[in-house]
Structures are given as structure tokens and as C-alpha cells.
């Protein structure tokens, strides 16, 4: 048995239990304890949880638990796997299908009502005795979802029959809660076409790995794939093709399904940089589009930034946000304003600015983001931003603004200023790194693009490196509470629908373990646990990369040095 992410408390026996195909869910009220210690004792988080950012809607839908239970049963009976590759050739590792062992007929779910506020709303406990009695204690419906995703990893399919689902580790005790409240994936859907159905599959894999935030980087200078009914020309002109557009219905469905899977889907519209695609609909809003040489005006082609001193741009943002944010806020309490990689030289070509001086540009940027943040707060959403405007431009932001660190040392600098922060630095958690540059060399001998044609953030971040990341290593203990979680990042220059799963998994699962329980341990036991998680994702229709070759899994200890 292998649970991913690894729980805080895990006690296992060696008795076999069968799982009844007619498995039922029974809800019980919490019992009043006259003595003893509550089940959640010891699950207090190491890092304080967010108080200003709660999942919307505040109460999950009425059918949330039942739908989660039905998905768990599907994973157990339809999408389960026979773990033969984790045993030597021809080994007899399964119980006899005729074994007379207790059968689990029902799961008793107990939702506690009087729980200390210091306990995570995702805290749960599972107890299965040797006779098959199964009780799950939770503090919320969301905690029930997390418990179900653990429970389905305790059982295996039998090679004799798909109905013979079993565990061989009873009695079992699991007690668990996350270290970090924000456990996310940042997915670029703008540079290459990533259709909604691929994102829905990604959400299913995120749920199984107990990730709870999907950050959609929804627009960039290359394309604008997001439908905005108040500004239909943005996607009509800015998308690569007419059929490569996320409609209002698409985005709504992805957010709704995210809600049911315990994954809050929130959106980033990066600004004022990374906005060149707007020019196809509104050339009057953009400065320095596709200028040459492009590396003078942008980090990557094409260049193009929103003009800073333009009343028309301010009106555009209000129209955009008044359309988009009311729809997003039904399912999410956060909105990402970007704010990274603003190019100085581009504003020397802005008719309203005509300067590349930071001292000149800083007041314009402060006014720009004051306006943008006010528009976000109007819809009672929390603004998120990349680190740049705070650390490189020294702008001022409301205390509730959350900043995302992506460069070395930025996490410590953000929390030192008193802001809450997300970790996920490029040198550790950028999944797109190490595949080589997407820039071709010019005919000039002076071209910087030379053998071995590495990308800017090489090397490749393998899953062991990702698992080894310790986000708090340089953070003073008194500031730990400001580190509310993290995100692993997949930028889209060299990722599309075809290779998406391979680029994400199983490396994003390694990040999920860090965000759930803290820095992971690289060892053979971890490799085997992650390899089992990979098999379960494959059964969900995900096509991840490898964790370990089959010989290494069949011959425990054989790939250790």
C-alpha cells in the first residue's frame, strides 16, 4: 500500500478485507466525547492558514460529498489497477479470490462541528478495524473529499475479477491535514492551444494528488484565447484560430468541475506586459508591438505592452474586468494581475510616456495598478501578482495583496515586507525548463543562440529535485505564517495538448507532496509510492512520464546505490 501525498499519521496491519461492490455511505452526527483526545489532536498546521481567501461558494454544493463518494467508487472498481509490477515475476501477492475475509459494506462519515479554528478545513481521519468497520472523521465536506482520495489508494484490483477489490493492510489508521493551504498548479493556456477538456483531465489528476488551486495564465502576447462578451473582438482577432477559443461556457464548466473536485480555478490576465495580442483587436492600446530586435523590447517575441498613460486603456480594463470578474467570482475569490517582466525600452515608444527611465515610469505604473487593484476589490476578490512590481519597482499595494515568488531569493524578500507569498521558484519548480530553447539562431555569427541550445532556465527539473525543494529553508521562523503555499509552473512555449500530461506528471505530483506535507524525502520508498500514484493516474486516462523502470519496481533494492 502506498499513499500519495504521504499522510501525517499512518498505521497499518496485515489483514485482508474485501470491498463490497454495493458499498454505501452512511452519514453520522459527531459523537460527544466524555474523555480522551479528539481525533484531530496533533494535526495543527505548521504554517498558519489563509483567513482572507476562502473558497467560493463558501458552502460546497449539496451533492458535493455524494459525487465525491461516487468518484471514489469508480476509482476503486473501474479505474483501479493490479499492482503486479511492484512484485517479483510470478509472485503470488494477491489473496485467494475464495478467501473468507470480512467485507466492507459501508463507510461511516462523521462530520465534526466543534473544531478549533487552527485545524485545517481539509483535516480528516480514517479508521478501518480488522472486521471491516470503516469510519471517516472530517471537519468539512472538503475534508471528506481528501479522505476519499486517500481511501481509494488503500485498495487494489484483483487479477481474478474487477469486483474483487481488496486491501491487505487492516487494521488501518490514517490522520492527515495539509501543511499549506494553497497548493497549486500554474498552467499557461495562451502560448499554445490547451483545450478545456485537457484542463478537466488535469483537474482530476490534481484532485487525486490533493492539489487545490489551478491558476490559468489565460492570455499573453502570443494569443488571447478567452471569450469576453463585452469585448468579443479580443478573442475573435487575438486567438490563433476561431476554434481555439475558451468560451464563457467552457470557463464556467472548468471552474464548476474544479469546485466539485476540490480545485479552485482562478484566472490571470497578465498586465501591463505580456499583452501584445490585444493589438489585433485594439492597436491603440499597445506600445512597441513586435519590434525588432525583439530582445530589446521583451523577454520573448512578440513584444507589446499596454500603454501606461492612456485613459482609453483604463476604460478598457474596466470593461474587461466588469465582464470577467463577476463570472469568475462565483467560483473563486482570487484574481491574478500578472505584473511581471515589464520592459523599459517598450515605453520609450509609448506616445503617452516616451521614456525608458524607471523614475519616470514608476508613478505611471503605481497609478495603473492602483486602478487595477481597485477593480479587483470591487468584486470582493483578492489580488494576486508576480513579485516584480513589489521587489523591482517598489510599488505600494494593499496588505491583502498576495505575491508570487518566481526568482531566487524573492520569497524571503516578499515576506520581509509583510506580504503573504506563494513559493515556486524557477530554479526548482518550472516544469518547462531543460527542453532546449525555442529561439532559432540568426545568420549572424554574433547570434547568442549557440550549441547546446539550452533554454534560459536549464537544467530539467526531475521529480526528485522537485520533491527536495524546501520552501522555508531561508525564511525566518517568525515569518513562516506569511508563506501560505506554492505553485508548480508549466509555461507553454513548448507545451500543447499532445504533450501536456507528460510535461506535468509525475513531476507535479512531487510538488503536490511538498505542498501537502513539506519537503519530501528522496528514497526508494518514495519512488515506489510515486510509481503507484502514476499507475492510478494512468487508469484515470492521464499519460504521465515515468517514475522508475519496471525492473526496479519488481526488484526492491535493486536500483539503490
Amino acid at each position: 500500500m502506498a499513499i500519495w501525498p504521504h499522510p501525517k499519521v499512518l498505521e497499518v496491519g496485515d489483514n485482508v478485507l474485501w470491498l463490497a461492490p454495493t458499498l454505501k455511505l452512511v452519514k453520522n452526527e459527531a459523537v460527544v466525547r466524555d474523555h480522551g483526545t479528539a481525533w484531530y489532536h496533533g494535526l495543527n498546521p505548521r504554517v498558519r492558514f489563509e483567513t482572507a481567501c476562502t473558497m467560493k461558494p463558501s458552502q460546497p454544493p449539496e451533492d458535493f460529498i455524494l459525487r465525491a463518494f461516487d468518484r471514489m467508487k469508480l476509482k476503486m472498481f473501474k479505474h483501479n489497477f493490479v499492482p503486479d509490477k511492484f512484485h517479483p515475476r510470478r509472485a503470488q501477492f494477491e489473496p485467494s479470490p475464495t478467501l473468507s475475509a470480512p467485507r466492507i459494506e459501508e463507510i461511516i462519515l462523521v462530520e465534526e462541528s466543534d473544531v478549533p479554528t487552527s485545524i485545517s478545513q481539509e483535516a480528516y481521519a480514517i479508521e478501518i478495524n480488522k472486521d471491516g468497520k470503516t469510519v471517516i472523521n472530517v471537519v468539512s465536506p472538503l475534508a471528506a473529499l481528501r479522505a476519499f482520495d486517500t481511501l481509494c489508494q488503500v485498495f487494489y484490483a484483483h487479477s481474478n475479477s474487477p469486483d474483487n477489490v481488496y486491501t491487505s493492510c487492516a487494521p488501518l489508521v490514517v490522520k492527515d491535514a495539509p501543511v499549506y493551504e494553497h497548493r497549486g498548479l500554474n498552467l499557461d493556456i495562451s502560448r499554445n492551444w490547451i483545450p478545456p477538456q485537457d484542463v478537466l483531465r488535469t483537474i482530476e489528476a490534481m484532485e487525486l494528488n490533493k492539489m487545490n488551486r489551478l491558476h490559468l495564465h489565460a492570455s499573453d502576447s502570443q494569443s488571447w484565447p478567452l471569450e469576453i462578451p463585452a469585448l468579443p473582438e479580443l478573442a475573435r482577432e487575438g486567438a490563433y484560430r476561431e476554434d481555439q477559443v475558451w468560451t464563457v461556457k467552457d470557463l464556467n464548466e472548468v471552474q464548476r468541475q474544479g469546485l466539485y473536485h476540490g480545485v479552485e480555478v482562478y484566472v490571470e490576465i497578465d498586465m501591463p506586459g505580456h499583452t501584445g495580442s490585444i493589438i489585433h483587436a485594439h492597436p491603440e492600446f499597445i506600445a512597441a508591438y513586435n519590434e525588432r530586435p525583439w530582445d530589446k523590447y521583451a523577454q520573448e517575441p512578440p513584444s507589446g505592452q499596454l500603454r501606461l498613460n492612456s485613459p482609453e486603456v483604463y476604460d478598457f480594463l474596466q470593461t474587461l474586468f466588469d465582464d470577467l470578474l463577476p463570472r469568475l467570482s462565483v467560483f473563486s475569490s482570487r484574481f491574478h494581475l500578472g505584473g511581471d517582466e515589464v520592459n523599459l525600452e517598450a515605453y520609450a515608444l509609448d506616445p503617452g510616456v516616451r521614456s525608458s527611465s524607471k523614475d519616470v515610469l514608476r508613478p505611471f505604473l503605481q497609478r495603473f495598478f492602483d486602478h487595477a487593484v481597485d477593480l479587483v476589490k470591487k468584486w470582493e476578490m483578492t489580488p494576486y501578482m508576480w513579485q516584480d512590481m513589489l521587489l523591482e519597482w517598489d510599488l505600494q499595494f494593499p496588505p491583502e495583496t498576495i505575491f508570487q515568488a518566481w526568482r531566487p531569493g524573492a520569497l524571503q524578500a516578499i515576506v520581509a515586507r509583510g506580504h503573504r507569498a506563494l513559493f515556486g521558484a524557477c530554479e526548482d519548480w518550472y516544469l518547462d525548463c531543460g527542453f532546449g530553447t525555442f529561439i532559432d539562431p540568426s545568420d549572424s555569427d554574433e547570434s547568442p543562440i549557440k550549441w547546446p541550445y539550452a533554454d534560459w532556465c536549464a537544467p530539467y527539473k526531475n521529480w526528485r529535485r522537485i520533491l527536495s525543494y524546501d520552501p522555508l529553508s531561508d525564511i525566518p521562523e517568525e515569518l513562516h505564517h506569511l508563506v501560505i503555499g506554492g505553485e508548480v509552473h508549466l509555461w507553454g512555449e513548448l507545451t500543447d495538448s499532445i504533450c501536456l500530461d507528460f510535461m506535468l506528471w509525475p513531476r507535479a505530483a512531487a510538488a503536490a507532496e511538498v505542498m501537502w506535507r513539506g519537503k519530501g524525502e528522496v528514497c526508494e520508498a518514495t519512488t515506489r509510492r510515486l510509481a503507484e500514484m502514476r499507475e492510478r493516474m494512468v487508469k484515470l486516462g492521464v499519460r504521465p512520464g515515468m517514475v522508475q523502470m519496471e525492473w526496479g519496481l519488481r526488484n526492491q533494492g535493486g536500483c539503490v546505490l
Side-chain angles (χ1 to χ4, degrees):
M1 183 199 66
I3 298 173
W4 193 276
H6 198 281
K8 286 180 179 291
V9 175
L10 177 62
E11 301 170 7
V12 301
D14 57 6
N15 293 301
V16 171
L17 296 174
W18 299 105
L19 195 64
T22 56
L23 184 69
K24 295 183 295 186
L25 180 67
V26 177
K27 293 183 183 179
N28 274 10
E29 297 295 326
V31 296
V32 177
R33 295 178 177 82
D34 295 325
H35 58 84
T37 302
W39 65 266
Y40 46 78
H41 178 74
L43 292 182
N44 298 62
R46 180 163 61 108
V47 177
R48 192 175 68 189
F49 287 87
E50 292 183 62
T51 56
C53 300
T54 56
M55 191 173 178
K56 286 189 177 183
S58 57
Q59 295 297 322
E62 291 185 3
D63 60 346
F64 180 87
I65 289 178
L66 289 178
R67 287 177 62 163
F69 180 74
D70 287 344
R71 288 198 307 277
M72 180 191 72
K73 289 181 64 177
L74 280 174
K75 292 169 188 171
M76 288 171 162
F77 289 102
K78 301 296 183 183
H79 304 312
N80 214 332
F81 80 105
V82 177
D84 63 291
K85 69 169 60 175
F86 293 85
H87 301 274
R89 291 180 176 92
R90 267 57 93 187
Q92 298 299 315
F93 60 89
E94 296 176 303
S96 168
T98 60
L99 177 69
S100 178
R103 190 174 294 268
I104 300 175
E105 302 283 351
E106 65 180 23
I107 293 175
I108 301 170
L109 181 67
V110 181
E111 186 173 348
E112 302 281 349
S113 57
D114 185 19
V115 177
T117 56
S118 62
I119 300 298
S120 164
Q121 287 299 296
E122 296 175 274
Y124 68 89
I126 301 171
E127 185 169 355
I128 304 175
N129 70 18
K130 62 182 179 63
D131 297 318
K133 181 179 180 181
T134 302
V135 178
I136 297 177
N137 287 276
V138 300
V139 300
S140 72
L142 189 57
L145 173 69
R146 304 303 177 210
F148 293 158
D149 282 317
T150 291
L151 193 60
C152 72
Q153 297 181 57
V154 174
F155 292 87
Y156 298 99
H158 197 288
S159 59
N160 175 262
S161 167
D163 288 337
N164 287 346
V165 175
Y166 70 94
T167 184
S168 55
C169 59
L172 172 76
V173 174
V174 178
K175 296 181 181 181
D176 207 6
V179 168
Y180 296 104
E181 195 274 344
H182 187 119
R183 306 181 305 280
L185 163 65
N186 168 34
L187 180 61
D188 180 356
I189 62 170
S190 60
R191 288 183 171 92
N192 282 303
W193 171 239
I194 305 291
Q197 58 265 32
D198 289 335
V199 177
L200 291 172
R201 184 178 66 255
T202 300
I203 286 172
E204 288 192 62
M206 291 177 68
E207 177 200 339
L208 190 59
N209 285 277
K210 298 186 175 69
M211 301 174 81
N212 67 347
R213 302 282 186 267
L214 177 56
H215 163 187
L216 294 179
H217 181 83
S219 64
D220 214 290
S221 282
Q222 292 79 13
S223 84
W224 184 288
L226 202 62
E227 179 188 26
I228 306 294
L231 298 162
E233 65 277 8
L234 285 177
R236 186 178 65 237
E237 305 298 332
Y240 286 130
R241 291 190 339 209
E242 292 179 356
D243 61 344
Q244 292 186 350
V245 172
W246 278 57
T247 67
V248 170
K249 182 179 178 181
D250 290 335
L251 183 56
N252 180 278
E253 179 63 16
V254 166
Q255 284 196 292
R256 184 179 299 277
Q257 288 303 314
L259 173 66
Y260 276 106
H261 286 77
V263 177
E264 181 180 340
V265 180
Y266 74 106
V267 169
E268 175 189 355
I269 303 294
D270 204 348
M271 61 185 69
H274 293 276
T275 50
S277 60
I278 294 172
I279 200 169
H280 302 294
H282 289 285
E284 70 275 18
F285 297 160
I286 299 298
Y289 178 71
N290 203 20
E291 292 288 341
R292 302 301 174 92
W294 61 260
D295 62 337
K296 179 179 179 181
Y297 298 99
Q299 289 295 110
E300 66 179 48
S303 61
Q305 298 180 170
L306 283 171
R307 295 183 179 182
L308 282 185
N309 192 23
S310 167
E312 291 79 10
V313 168
Y314 280 56
D315 293 341
F316 164 75
L317 290 180
Q318 179 151 356
T319 302
L320 171 64
F321 284 15
D322 284 350
D323 178 300
L324 181 60
L325 269 54
R327 292 187 279 114
L328 297 178
S329 65
V330 174
F331 299 102
S332 175
S333 60
R334 52 207 98 223
F335 183 76
H336 205 300
L337 289 165
D340 65 317
E341 298 181 330
V342 168
N343 183 278
L344 296 173
E345 295 299 330
Y347 284 121
L349 304 181
D350 181 344
V353 177
R354 296 292 187 192
S355 177
S356 59
S357 164
K358 260 195 172 183
D359 291 336
V360 172
L361 294 174
R362 187 176 289 109
F364 289 112
L365 280 168
Q366 183 70 65
R367 180 169 170 261
F368 179 93
F369 279 108
D370 286 346
H371 178 66
V373 167
D374 285 346
L375 292 173
V376 173
K377 292 169 65 177
K378 171 184 174 181
W379 296 102
E380 299 181 348
M381 302 177 81
T382 299
Y384 279 57
M385 294 189 64
W386 298 107
Q387 65 187 52
D388 306 42
M389 289 297 128
L390 181 70
L391 302 184
E392 296 178 26
W393 288 86
D394 199 29
L395 301 190
Q396 301 300 308
F397 291 92
E400 65 268 25
T401 310
I402 294 173
F403 288 92
Q404 194 158 11
W406 66 278
R407 286 193 181 276
L411 184 66
Q412 184 176 5
I414 293 168
V415 297
R417 296 191 181 205
H419 280 282
R420 291 174 294 167
L422 299 179
F423 54 79
C426 59
E427 72 269 30
D428 293 294
W429 276 21
Y430 270 30
L431 300 180
D432 53 298
C433 296
F435 288 90
T437 183
F438 61 93
I439 302 298
D440 287 317
S442 68
D443 294 335
S444 170
D445 291 338
E446 297 180 359
S447 172
I449 309 303
K450 301 183 185 299
W451 188 91
Y453 308 107
D455 54 49
W456 71 276
C457 55
Y460 175 84
K461 279 57 175 168
N462 63 70
W463 71 260
R464 289 180 177 85
R465 175 169 179 165
I466 289 169
L467 188 76
S468 303
Y469 176 51
D470 183 1
L472 298 180
S473 62
D474 297 320
I475 308 300
E477 187 172 353
E478 65 271 18
L479 298 178
H480 282 189
H481 67 282
L482 293 173
V483 181
I484 61 171
E487 291 184 352
V488 63
H489 307 273
L490 181 56
W491 299 108
E493 288 88 349
L494 294 177
T495 298
D496 65 3
S497 178
I498 304 301
C499 62
L500 176 64
D501 290 356
F502 170 80
M503 295 291 284
L504 283 173
W505 311 105
R507 294 183 296 155
E513 171 134 327
V514 174
M515 291 184 284
W516 182 267
R517 69 188 301 262
K519 178 186 176 183
E521 180 184 5
V522 175
C523 62
E524 187 184 28
T526 300
T527 298
R528 297 178 69 83
R529 279 194 305 113
L530 183 55
E532 280 208 17
M533 170 53 76
R534 179 186 183 271
E535 296 300 310
R536 296 186 185 279
M537 287 194 288
V538 168
K539 287 295 184 179
L540 288 178
V542 178
R543 299 181 66 85
M546 290 294 296
V547 174
Q548 177 62 285
M549 66 174 171
E550 187 168 335
W551 187 91
L553 298 176
R554 288 188 179 277
N555 295 272
Q556 192 165 354
C559 288
V560 176
L561 186 63

